[in-house]
Amino acid sequence: MAVKRRRSSVSPPPQGCPLTTCMQFLKGAWTPNVIWYLRGGPRRFSELLADIPGVSPKVFSARLKRLERDGILTRHVMPTSPPTVEYSLTDLGHELTPAIDAIVQVGHKLKRRWIP
Amino acid sequence: MAVKRRRSSVSPPPQGCPLTTCMQFLKGAWTPNVIWYLRGGPRRFSELLADIPGVSPKVFSARLKRLERDGILTRHVMPTSPPTVEYSLTDLGHELTPAIDAIVQVGHKLKRRWIP
DNA sequence: AGCGGTACTTACCAAACGGAAAGTCGAATA
DNA sequence: TATTCGACTTTCCGTTTGGTAAGTACCGCT
């Protein structure tokens, strides 16, 4: 015989799902890392590039561009020579930090669980 | 003149970065959604498929397979006819829920911020 | 004998992603 | 005059991703 279909005991269907909404902003390689490193204040391109080993300039500038387009961070060119560019989180960007923090915390727990 | 390189005021470099570690498990379309829907207890393939509109069976079974391989969930075939399969979170899977919850919370805030 | 339900799989495909390497540009410095 | 710096951009390319559509296997039911 067949099995009854159970209703979900958890939540409404993802029509305009908050989970999906938020994940859109965290999508793409290095995205959460950028937000993490900007939490402490504005930071320059080459600084971030060094903060996050392994990322290529191309991918990275694309990432920053998308983050700026999405309103997560702002780009500020300074009149130095050679010109330097500072990135900082917007208010919207700061709203994401609780999520990032939680992910980091879980990351720590996972590492403790794995290595021992 | 040139600008001084500032040191990061935030954290250690991502060598075995907890953020990256955790994000690996949340990577891929629908991954956080699956975990969200399994929080409430075991659930079957077709139930999850209906929970999460828009996902195709192919992508979905691949996702579940990877999640099982990663130790996030377990697959349990039941001796019904036709056979039904139940998926449930492992202990490791449950460790991820704080992160998912935080993301959902932020998602809610973002939606409030967007629509008004 | 044929149908329906469940849980997939397979084949195919296009777009997106992400990495390496090299080039650009203007001002300042050696 | 040549080089360096900072912040990119461009080109090229292989991999991965995710989607559609259709097929499969098993068993019980009508």
Side-chain angles (χ1 to χ4, degrees), chain B residues 38 41-45 48 61 64-65 68 73-76 85-89:
Chain B
L38 287 180
R43 209 143 171 74
R44 293 191 287 114
F45 187 84
L48 289 167
S61 85
L64 292 168
K65 213 166 272 185
E68 190 194 3
L73 52 80
T74 51
R75 215 181 86 102
H76 194 232
V85 184
E86 267 194 357
Y87 295 90
S88 23
L89 288 186

Side-chain angles (χ1 to χ4, degrees), chain B residues 56-103:
Chain B
S56 72
K58 181 205 121 179
V59 169
F60 202 58
S61 85
R63 194 64 46 219
L64 292 168
K65 213 166 272 185
R66 215 202 57 197
L67 254 4
E68 190 194 3
R69 189 206 63 191
D70 289 351
I72 303 301
L73 52 80
T74 51
R75 215 181 86 102
H76 194 232
V77 183
M78 314 194 66
T80 51
S81 155
T84 53
V85 184
E86 267 194 357
Y87 295 90
S88 23
L89 288 186
T90 58
D91 289 354
L92 180 58
H94 278 291
E95 303 243 24
L96 296 176
T97 59
I100 305 278
D101 289 348
I103 295 169

